[in-house]
């Protein structure tokens, strides 16, 4: 309902990038530029300076951005009030999740949520933890669920579930009969690791540091981009790895992989990540509430 030109301007001003704004708004960059120019013509002044491949706000742009922020906060407050009054729960949300969560936890969560709230349209973007945090920072998604640590103190981070990580080996491996292993001993074997930016990789490296071990001594033989590819490589005898217990239920049942606990145990938090917005749409509140219930300690891990 708010002026489309103002929405486009606000997004560009927040991101200081026409390219990122176009991606966030699902528009072409020329369309974004056109909307901004129309607003500049309406005010008869420049709102942005575009020099040396940098976008900065003029004084008029800076003040317009502040007013736009207030306008959109009031609009969100009004929309929430009316929907609360009428009992309407609808809207569109974009959810982002890191790979492990998207593949093993979200299908059942989103299925239950869409059955309960059929008028809320959900979109899903999948990346590693680093990518999801970047999308939150750039307002490309409304809510992220990640498996690694988040260092940006300007974001709201809420733990939703504790995940356990274990070692996996093929049944014929020397370690297959062991129930647990230390990281120091595991480092002697070829190790299959997730890619840079993965939350799982960050947690493993942090664990090694806590144990006083040099991460450079980890015998990495492969770097792969998903839990499925890692499980396949371990099953094929190419090395050992560390994965979430949530990812290996089928393989343990089929007895194609063996798991060993790490000594001491390795745990990490799955977390909700979002921006510190004063007002949120009711659809976001309902999604958060449903997800909190789904991830509660009383509910077994997916």
């Amino acid at each position: 309902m708010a002026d489309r030109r103002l929405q486009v301007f606000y997004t560009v001003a927040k991101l200081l990038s026409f390219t990122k704004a176009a991606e966030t708004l699902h528009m072409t960059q020329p369309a974004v530029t056109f909307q901004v120019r129309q607003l500049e013509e309406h005010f008869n002044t420049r709102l942005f300076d575009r020099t040396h491949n940098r976008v900065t706000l003029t004084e008029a742009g800076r003040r317009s951005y502040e007013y736009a922020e207030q306008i959109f906060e009031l609009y969100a407050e009004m929309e929430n009030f009316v929907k609360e009054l009428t009992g309407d729960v609808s809207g569109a949300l974009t959810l982002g999740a890191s790979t492990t969560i998207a593949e093993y936890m979200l299908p059942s969560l989103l299925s239950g949520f869409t059955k309960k709230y059929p008028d809320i349209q959900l979109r899903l973007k999948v990346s590693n933890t680093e990518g999801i945090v970047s999308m939150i920072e750039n307002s490309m998604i409304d809510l992220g669920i990640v498996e690694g640590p988040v260092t940006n103190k300007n974001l709201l981070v809420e733990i939703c579930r504790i995940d356990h990580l274990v070692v996996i080996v093929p049944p014929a491996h020397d370690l297959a009969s062991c129930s647990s292993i230390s990281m120091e001993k595991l480092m002697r074997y070829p190790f299959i690791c997730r890619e840079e930016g993965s939350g799982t990789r960050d947690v493993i490296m942090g664990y090694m540091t806590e144990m006083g071990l040099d991460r450079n001594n980890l015998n990495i033989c492969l770097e792969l981009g998903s839990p499925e590819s890692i499980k396949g490589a371990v099953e094929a005898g190419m090395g050992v790895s560390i994965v979430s217990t949530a990812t290996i239920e089928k393989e343990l049942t089929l007895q194609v992989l063996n798991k060993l606990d790490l000594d001491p145990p390795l745990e990490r938090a799955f977390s909700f990540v979002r921006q510190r917005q004063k007002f949120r749409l009711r659809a976001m509140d309902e999604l958060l509430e449903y997800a909190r219930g789904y991830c509660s300690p009383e509910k077994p891990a997916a």
Side-chain angles (χ1 to χ4, degrees):
M1 189 167 71
D3 190 313
R4 181 62 170 168
R5 296 171 302 176
L6 190 61
Q7 290 178 326
V8 173
F9 159 75
Y10 178 76
T11 305
V12 176
K14 187 173 186 178
L15 302 177
L16 291 178
S17 168
F18 282 77
T19 303
K20 289 180 180 178
E23 187 174 353
T24 300
L25 294 167
H26 306 289
M27 297 171 64
T28 64
Q29 190 167 329
V32 168
T33 301
F34 176 75
Q35 293 286 343
V36 170
R37 281 180 180 163
Q38 280 210 322
L39 192 62
E40 289 179 324
E41 288 173 7
H42 174 78
F43 288 131
N44 195 29
T45 188
R46 286 185 299 105
L47 300 174
F48 295 101
D49 281 326
R50 309 167 183 85
T51 55
H52 306 297
N53 296 321
R54 288 181 66 244
V55 176
T56 58
L57 287 163
T58 63
E59 179 60 21
R62 186 183 65 79
R63 292 301 300 274
S64 297
Y65 174 74
E66 292 172 356
Y67 280 119
E69 194 162 45
Q70 294 176 47
I71 289 168
F72 289 127
E73 284 184 354
L74 284 171
Y75 175 72
E77 186 178 10
M78 176 187 71
E79 188 169 6
N80 279 353
F81 172 78
V82 173
K83 288 192 173 184
E84 192 73 36
L85 200 64
T86 61
D88 177 35
V89 184
S90 61
L93 296 172
T94 303
L95 185 66
S98 49
T99 313
T100 299
I101 293 169
E103 291 182 357
Y104 301 98
M105 180 175 129
L106 279 193
S108 127
L109 186 158
L110 296 184
S111 173
F113 181 79
T114 52
K115 286 176 183 175
K116 186 174 181 180
Y117 299 104
D119 293 327
I120 297 179
Q121 299 175 2
L122 294 178
R123 305 183 188 95
L124 177 63
K125 292 182 179 288
V126 180
S127 183
N128 58 30
T129 294
E130 186 178 87
I132 294 300
V133 170
S134 176
M135 290 181 199
I136 290 285
E137 292 169 338
N138 292 316
S139 303
M140 296 170 65
I141 58 177
D142 299 299
L143 176 69
I145 310 179
V146 298
E147 61 202 59
V150 178
T151 57
N152 187 338
K153 302 300 182 185
N154 294 319
L155 300 178
L156 283 174
V157 181
E158 175 187 339
I159 294 175
C160 62
R161 178 176 291 184
I162 299 300
D163 180 44
H164 301 275
L165 288 96
V166 295
V167 177
I168 55 171
V169 300
H173 197 274
D174 294 346
L175 299 174
S177 60
C178 301
S179 59
S180 64
I181 188 173
S182 68
M183 191 70 204
E184 185 175 14
K185 184 176 179 181
L186 188 68
M187 290 169 65
R188 303 171 191 169
Y189 296 87
F191 190 82
I192 303 169
C193 198
R194 284 290 302 275
E195 79 287 1
E196 292 279 357
S198 158
T200 300
R201 181 179 180 130
D202 289 345
V203 168
I204 293 170
M205 296 305 175
Y207 176 80
M208 291 181 63
T209 300
E210 289 178 10
M211 296 298 105
L213 302 171
D214 185 350
R215 62 180 67 186
N216 294 317
N217 291 332
L218 188 61
N219 185 15
I220 297 176
C221 61
L222 274 177
E223 292 186 4
L224 298 172
S226 73
E228 288 298 315
S229 59
I230 284 180
K231 289 187 296 182
V234 172
E235 188 178 337
M238 300 176 72
V240 303
S241 192
I242 296 174
V243 298
S244 165
T245 54
T247 68
I248 55 172
E249 183 178 339
K250 178 182 71 176
E251 286 77 16
L252 295 180
T253 301
L254 295 175
Q255 298 182 338
V256 294
L257 290 176
N258 285 27
K259 78 174 179 72
L260 294 73
D261 293 323
L262 278 162
D263 183 19
L266 175 55
E267 296 178 339
R268 64 172 171 189
F270 286 166
S271 303
F272 301 124
V273 186
R274 63 187 191 277
Q275 290 200 358
R276 296 179 181 273
Q277 294 169 321
K278 189 174 181 182
F279 295 105
R280 295 193 307 270
L281 295 179
R282 188 179 173 195
M284 169 66 90
D285 290 329
E286 296 295 345
L287 176 60
L288 268 172
E289 192 61 30
Y290 186 88
R292 288 184 186 116
Y294 179 90
C295 296
S296 66
E298 291 77 20
K299 184 175 180 61

